[in-house]
């Protein structure tokens, strides 16, 4: 049982390049989330999904797209990377969005630098 | 507009003493509150939570208190141990499990 895994762990991009971050969970969770963490700002929600085939915008969605084609995977895409997207990206999953299931399980993070 | 705030960036405590981490929120619609612990180069891990219908929840050395009228919650760690040294985030949920996080407090427990 690996929990939540993220690929890659590190990446350096040039401005304007594109990339996809992959998140996978093996806990059969319905809900999945993408956050970014910047110094002094905590974690901010980018996009989330309440089930396979669904996605919704979070607090800071601009410049990102997501897809949830399979229940266990949640992809985060950067179409044209900008230096402002330099951050640590965390994926999380939760059984549901109710009660005790607010507990989210996080992956180890992807450190992205855009030059 | 920071809806969840942790006003203390850092806290230093002696081993065996109590650690108190504080968190304030502004949105009355939040109905569930959580504390996460984070070590460097790792993702946050869930620590303890509390529903808005309660004012206290205990789990071993960890207790979370919620004061709804003051829109304030706190995490007490007793006794503190060096292994508790980490960044602590409070988070609040208002639907679909979407969490709003505070900025985090770095806790250092000295032996």
């Amino acid at each position: 049982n690996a929990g939540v895994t993220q690929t890659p762990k590190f990446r350096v991009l040039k401005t304007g390049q594109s990339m996809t971050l992959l998140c996978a969970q093996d806990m059969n969770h319905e809900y999945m989330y993408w956050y970014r963490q910047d110094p002094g700002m905590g974690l901010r929600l980018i996009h989330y999904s309440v089930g396979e085939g669904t996605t919704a915008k979070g607090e800071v969605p601009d410049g990102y797209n997501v897809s949830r084609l399979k229940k266990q995977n949640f992809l985060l895409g950067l179409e044209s990377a900008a230096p402002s997207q330099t951050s640590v990206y965390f994926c999380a999953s939760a059984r549901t969005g109710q009660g005790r299931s607010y507990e989210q399980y996080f992956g180890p993070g992807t450190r992205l630098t855009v030059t | 507009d920071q809806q969840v705030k942790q006003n203390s960036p850092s806290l230093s405590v002696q081993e065996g003493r109590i650690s108190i981490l504080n968190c304030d929120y502004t949105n009355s619609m939040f109905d569930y509150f959580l504390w996460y612990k984070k070590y460097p180069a790792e993702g946050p891990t869930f620590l303890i939570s509390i529903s808005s219908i309660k004012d206290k929840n205990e789990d071993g050395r960890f207790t979370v208190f919620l004061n709804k009228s003051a829109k304030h919650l706190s995490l007490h760690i007793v006794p503190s141990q060096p292994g508790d040294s980490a960044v602590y985030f409070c988070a609040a949920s208002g639907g679909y499990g979407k969490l709003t996080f505070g900025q985090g407090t770095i806790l250092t427990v000295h032996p």
Side-chain angles (χ1 to χ4, degrees), chain A residues 25-102:
Chain A
Q25 52 95 3
D26 60 3
M27 297 174 282
N28 201 35
H29 284 171
E30 289 292 335
Y31 285 54
M32 296 187 75
Y33 308 84
W34 275 107
Y35 295 89
R36 59 178 287 173
Q37 185 192 9
D38 302 296
M41 302 201 58
L43 283 80
R44 291 182 293 167
L45 182 65
I46 305 171
H47 286 281
Y48 65 102
S49 168
V50 301
E52 182 179 315
T54 74
T55 62
K57 293 180 181 180
E59 181 186 354
V60 288
D62 294 341
Y64 305 95
N65 56 74
V66 288
S67 65
R68 182 106 181 264
L69 298 180
K70 293 183 179 180
K71 185 177 183 179
Q72 63 267 34
N73 295 337
F74 196 28
L75 278 63
L76 178 71
L78 285 73
E79 293 179 344
S80 179
S84 60
Q85 294 178 303
T86 293
S87 187
V88 180
Y89 292 85
F90 289 101
C91 175
S93 70
R95 188 164 60 86
T96 72
Q98 298 296 321
R100 184 68 171 80
S101 298
Y102 281 149

Side-chain angles (χ1 to χ4, degrees), chain B:
Chain B
D1 178 24
Q2 193 85 26
Q3 296 189 68
V4 178
K5 288 185 180 179
Q6 294 175 255
N7 292 317
S8 298
S10 62
L11 174 67
S12 183
V13 172
Q14 206 66 29
E15 181 179 6
R17 306 295 289 268
I18 185 171
S19 295
I20 300 176
L21 295 97
N22 294 302
C23 180
D24 297 296
Y25 64 96
T26 57
N27 189 340
S28 300
M29 299 303 291
F30 289 142
D31 61 354
Y32 213 80
F33 302 89
L34 306 89
W35 283 93
Y36 281 83
K37 178 179 179 180
K38 185 182 181 305
Y39 292 117
E42 295 183 10
T45 54
F46 171 77
L47 195 55
I48 192 169
S49 62
I50 187 167
S51 166
S52 60
I53 62 173
K54 295 187 175 181
D55 54 20
K56 179 182 173 182
N57 187 29
E58 285 182 84
D59 185 0
R61 296 186 296 116
F62 303 92
T63 303
V64 57
F65 295 92
L66 176 61
N67 182 334
K68 286 191 292 294
S69 60
K71 294 190 177 65
H72 177 83
L73 67 155
S74 61
L75 174 67
H76 292 210
I77 307 174
V78 184
S80 301
Q81 300 173 354
D84 295 329
S85 297
V87 180
Y88 288 79
F89 291 99
C90 67
S93 183
Y96 296 108
K98 294 186 295 179
L99 297 180
T100 301
F101 283 83
Q103 307 96 307
T105 296
I106 301 170
L107 173 65
T108 303
V109 180
H110 299 282

